[in-house]
Amino acid sequence: MRYKNLFTPVKIGSLTIKNRFAMAPMGPLGLSDSQGGFNQRGIDYYTERAKGGTGLIITGVTFSDGKVEPQSMPNCPNSTFNPVHFIRTSKEMTERVHAYGSKMFLMMSAGFGRVTIPTNLGEFPPVAPSAIPHRWLDKTCRPLTKEEIHSIVKSFGDGAYNAKRGGFDGVAIHAVHEGYLLDQFAISMFNQRDDEYGGSLENRLRFAREVVEEIKARCGQDFPVILRFSVKSMIKDWREGALPGEEFEEKGRDVEEGLEAAKLLVQYGYDALDTDVGTYDAWWWNHPPMYQEKGLYRPYCKMVKEAVDVPVLCAGRMDDPEMASASIENGDCDMISLGRPLLADPDYVNKLRAGRVCEIRPCISCQEGCMGRIQEYSMINCAVNPQAARERVTAYEPVVRAKKVMVIGGGVAGCEAARVLAVRGHRPELFEKAGRLGGNLIPGGAPEFKEDDLALAKWYEKQMELLNVPVRLNTEVTKEDVLAGGYDAVVVATGSAPKVFSLGDDGKVYTAAQVLTGEKDCGDETVVIGGGLVGCETALWLAQHGKKVTIVEALDKLLAVNGPLCHANKDMLERLVPYHGVKTVTSARVTGYADGVLTAVCGDEEKRIPCDSVILAVGYREEDSLYRELEFEVPEIYLLGDAKKVSNIMYAIWDAFEVANHI
């Protein structure tokens, strides 16, 4: 069998895990009830990943101390608030997880400290080791007292004991990682104390040491305790993170201290290190967008593995099975943590084991359904998998009578509608006017950093094949075709068209899609009009290929209208644009393009920008004309995707799933 080394057992302490895959911890917002236990949604969510073959399930962060930071994270489980209820709901969940041969760890946190999400802070003052600036707000944090530290340590023991009673096989500590409270104590930049919790590295790690010692004392030495651990901080300054390849002076924890910390933490009793790099000041490292390379933590994990004698877990865009297998073989790590890939496809591990790699639904690292929704709506979901964290309420509805359904448009909305209809037992037929499926995924996936967009298009092609959905390519559907087809229902997902306008010399004015697909050559110097997501990504890609690019944006900043983007994606893209030499002109109104010069007005000033071409990235317009022709001719008709309202991949897929699951 290929990738066999990913399916060999591994031990954490005295506990044996059946394979090398762990579900990485992801914020469990929306998975708790009002009493601090796991709700049915949370139980189903974790059980589904165990059913899918994952060897170790690590929950998202939970809290045991409710006094120091009662505001830390809304709607997350709490292992000490109502112990009997927490144990009861946990037991129901762990029993189901264990039925599939998986093990389960509860992730426990000391708190957020200076990185508490502003919307969750309320009237409570933010806390930290010392009086330091809050990450997001213009506030100074209040230093924790020693009594509060002792209280938090005790709560870890109480919470871990309740977790053990609830059937958890171990706990994961969150974290000397990403700049959370324990990490703030461990990093001298944040920890300016002069008591026994500050100063030397050993003193700064005392909090983390007392936590593991307390848990082991309460739960026994053979109860596994693992630690989420960042070996390097990537901090240039307060609220300033470094980009990949950038030369900078590390203000947080450097690798040398990180490796020394790793050795001490293992000496203190931690049974495994779940390793990454970064902090909230550079959080595109801990939450890597598509602009980060795949497997970005591997070199750091290997250094940690060579320094300690306990298992090392490695996450960070590790969904390529070739990379994962090689990482185990080369000694980079002992286990592969999958976070977002298991949101996208809970059956990832079983599909890989069965040799069905082409059936694994790809994560596109957009972070719109996970981190973006956590930030904005306090719930975890997935852009490409509408059932993630909603397994029961979005279960496929059984078909009473199979319908013949015409689906017009082969973008993500049309493909998702056809897929769901076929899964449920209907008879969809898919029509696409282009020569391949995917719609805007095709130009969108042209940059190397967007390769997973193309993988998603390929996945939909494979799904149509497996589900025996007839696909008619190069077919533009007319009103007459629809009415003559004898269909029981019609889904119109005809997408959108790029907005265009005349600039005078239009011979060298192209749409972003034309340049991305190679239909048009933009020359050596180009101007991108529009600083939204499409414009910035197009400009970045062209700059990475040696083009001289200027972005001209009408608003006062880039990425002003593409929300809610995950801040990790948005912040990284904002910094990558100037880092790669892209010039920007904001608050500008373009007035014309002639003789190789674009003119734009900024306030009272006229700017003249020489360029070989102009690329329009000013948005898309709904293409709903066919629907309007059919609206009163077809009894059961639905409008989906960009044709309904120009939006993003997530809402195109989600709306399509919702409608197709109830036809």
Side-chain angles (χ1 to χ4, degrees):
M1 168 200 165
R2 202 173 180 188
Y3 313 125
K4 192 170 185 180
N5 63 342
L6 295 173
F7 293 89
T8 55
V10 62
K11 297 193 86 168
I12 297 178
S14 59
L15 182 73
T16 300
I17 313 294
K18 67 179 180 179
N19 58 41
R20 300 302 179 106
F21 288 104
M23 178 181 179
M26 292 172 285
L29 287 93
L31 307 183
S32 168
D33 58 30
S34 61
Q35 294 298 303
F38 289 91
N39 60 19
Q40 192 63 57
R41 183 171 290 204
I43 293 170
D44 293 340
Y45 165 75
Y46 289 117
T47 302
E48 191 70 16
R49 274 78 197 159
K51 179 184 174 186
T54 308
L56 173 62
I57 305 293
I58 306 175
T59 71
V61 65
T62 68
F63 300 90
S64 53
D65 177 83
K67 306 182 190 77
V68 178
E69 276 193 343
Q71 76 288 355
S72 270
M73 188 83 94
N75 206 15
C76 286
N78 185 302
S79 50
T80 61
F81 174 68
N82 186 339
V84 172
H85 180 71
F86 175 84
I87 291 165
R88 183 186 64 75
T89 58
S90 296
K91 193 68 175 173
E92 179 184 343
M93 177 172 63
T94 56
E95 285 174 340
R96 290 183 64 190
V97 165
H98 290 152
Y100 296 100
S102 300
K103 305 299 183 185
M104 192 166 198
F105 284 10
L106 181 75
M107 170 159 271
M108 302 177 64
S109 177
F112 278 60
R114 70 177 284 267
V115 300
T116 308
I117 300 170
T119 52
N120 300 341
L121 194 57
E123 298 303 314
F124 298 96
V127 299
S130 308
I132 57 175
H134 191 267
R135 168 62 179 90
W136 316 108
L137 303 172
D138 291 327
K139 289 188 176 185
T140 300
C141 298
R142 172 182 69 79
L144 280 182
T145 66
K146 284 194 281 187
E147 291 72 23
E148 288 173 323
I149 296 171
H150 299 157
S151 171
I152 293 172
V153 169
K154 182 182 182 301
S155 77
F156 269 99
D158 295 338
Y161 180 74
N162 293 336
K164 186 176 181 180
R165 286 188 62 198
F168 285 97
D169 303 286
V171 293
I173 304 306
H174 173 282
V176 181
H177 144 87
E178 200 177 353
Y180 289 102
L181 188 57
L182 277 179
D183 205 23
Q184 291 159 39
F185 270 82
I187 294 173
S188 59
M189 177 183 183
F190 303 134
N191 185 341
Q192 299 157 14
R193 302 174 74 101
D194 56 10
D195 60 12
E196 64 267 36
Y197 291 96
S200 67
L201 178 60
E202 289 85 349
N203 278 358
R204 285 183 273 121
L205 290 173
R206 186 182 301 275
F207 197 169
R209 176 177 187 166
E210 291 178 351
V211 165
V212 69
E213 290 175 347
E214 178 74 13
I215 293 171
K216 294 285 188 177
R218 294 291 304 278
C219 300
Q221 292 299 314
D222 61 346
F223 187 67
V225 183
I226 68 176
L227 183 74
R228 198 91 165 90
F229 173 66
S230 298
V231 68
K232 182 172 172 61
S233 300
M234 300 293 183
I235 299 175
K236 294 198 299 184
D237 208 339
W238 295 97
R239 302 174 180 171
E240 286 293 328
L243 291 169
E246 186 176 6
E247 291 187 12
F248 69 103
E249 179 187 350
E250 177 65 72
K251 296 293 183 67
R253 177 165 51 245
D254 60 21
V255 169
E256 183 180 0
E257 183 175 270
L259 295 177
E260 183 59 32
K263 295 174 187 175
L264 288 170
L265 291 163
V266 171
Q267 181 183 312
Y268 298 156
Y270 287 100
D271 296 295
L273 296 178
D274 189 358
T275 303
D276 65 4
V277 298
T279 60
Y280 265 90
D281 297 83
W283 77 320
W284 49 80
W285 288 97
N286 302 97
H287 301 280
M290 67 281 287
Y291 317 118
Q292 290 275 25
E293 68 176 3
K294 295 209 171 192
L296 65 160
Y297 306 144
R298 287 175 297 155
Y300 300 98
C301 289
K302 188 174 183 68
M303 287 187 275
V304 172
K305 182 162 168 54
E306 290 172 349
V308 301
D309 59 357
V310 298
V312 172
L313 288 72
C314 180
R317 308 196 71 207
M318 289 292 290
D319 53 344
D320 179 351
E322 293 286 349
M323 177 185 292
S325 179
S327 296
I328 299 294
E329 183 70 26
N330 300 336
D332 297 338
C333 59
D334 300 283
M335 294 190 72
I336 306 299
S337 280
L338 299 176
R340 293 168 293 173
L342 288 181
L343 289 177
D345 197 330
D347 297 317
Y348 179 105
V349 178
N350 277 344
K351 287 178 179 177
L352 182 62
R353 179 180 54 80
R356 296 159 49 206
V357 178
C358 61
E359 295 180 43
I360 297 172
R361 176 165 29 197
C363 164
I364 59 174
S365 297
C366 65
Q367 309 211 90
E368 286 172 358
C370 47
M371 283 304 301
R373 283 178 75 80
I374 284 175
Q375 288 167 208
E376 300 295 330
Y377 310 119
S378 291
M379 63 178 75
I380 188 167
N381 298 111
C382 177
V384 299
N385 177 14
Q387 293 175 301
R390 306 192 303 168
E391 281 74 17
R392 188 165 300 214
V393 296
T394 56
Y396 293 113
E397 295 282 342
V399 168
V400 176
R401 178 179 69 86
K403 290 183 176 180
K404 181 183 176 184
V405 185
M406 184 182 210
V407 180
I408 308 165
V412 289
C415 286
E416 178 69 2
R419 183 190 72 82
V420 174
L421 288 165
V423 166
R424 293 179 57 224
H426 285 307
R427 294 179 288 116
E429 296 177 14
L430 182 58
F431 296 79
E432 166 56 40
K433 69 178 181 180
R436 63 184 294 190
L437 298 179
N440 284 332
L441 287 176
I442 306 308
E448 291 80 359
F449 52 79
K450 296 288 288 290
E451 61 180 331
D452 287 320
D453 281 20
L454 298 183
L456 182 60
K458 190 173 182 181
W459 181 79
Y460 274 120
E461 289 175 350
K462 185 66 178 178
Q463 290 297 302
M464 297 304 105
E465 176 189 326
L466 293 170
L467 293 166
N468 296 313
V469 175
V471 177
R472 316 266 198 268
L473 299 175
N474 300 303
T475 304
E476 186 156 6
V477 175
T478 65
K479 175 182 176 180
E480 290 70 30
D481 295 329
V482 177
L483 298 178
Y487 295 99
D488 300 300
V490 176
V491 173
V492 180
T494 43
S496 58
K499 291 180 180 177
V500 296
F501 52 83
S502 177
L503 289 173
D505 179 7
D506 293 334
K508 292 286 188 177
V509 177
Y510 313 130
T511 65
Q514 288 177 313
V515 174
L516 287 163
T517 56
E519 180 186 339
K520 299 293 184 180
D521 181 357
C522 69
D524 295 325
E525 295 188 44
T526 189
V527 172
V528 176
I529 300 179
L533 186 60
V534 172
C536 287
E537 288 187 342
T538 302
L540 174 61
W541 174 65
L542 290 170
Q544 288 174 336
H545 284 265
K547 309 294 186 181
K548 292 182 179 179
V549 187
T550 301
I551 297 175
V552 176
E553 166 59 42
L555 299 176
D556 60 357
K557 62 180 181 178
L558 302 182
L559 298 170
V561 294
N562 293 106
L565 285 176
C566 169
H567 290 311
N569 295 45
K570 181 175 182 286
D571 292 354
M572 186 174 187
L573 183 55
E574 281 178 337
R575 286 160 176 78
L576 283 171
V577 165
Y579 181 70
H580 283 274
V582 176
K583 298 176 182 178
T584 58
V585 179
T586 56
S587 301
R589 179 173 56 87
V590 174
T591 55
Y593 177 58
D595 301 322
V597 176
L598 180 99
T599 53
V601 176
C602 304
D604 296 329
E605 179 187 359
E606 182 180 80
K607 287 190 174 291
R608 295 173 56 81
I609 307 171
C611 52
D612 300 317
S613 66
V614 175
I615 300 171
L616 299 178
V618 290
Y620 289 80
R621 182 176 290 106
E622 294 84 359
E623 179 46 75
D624 61 357
S625 56
L626 181 60
Y627 175 82
R628 298 301 166 203
E629 289 183 55
L630 294 166
E631 188 174 6
F632 301 104
E633 301 286 338
V634 177
E636 189 172 0
I637 187 168
Y638 304 92
L639 183 63
L640 290 175
D642 275 3
K644 178 169 73 77
K645 181 183 179 181
V646 172
S647 186
N648 55 25
I649 290 172
M650 184 179 85
Y651 284 115
I653 292 175
W654 279 36
D655 287 358
F657 183 97
E658 168 64 26
V659 169
N661 199 30
H662 292 92
I663 290 178

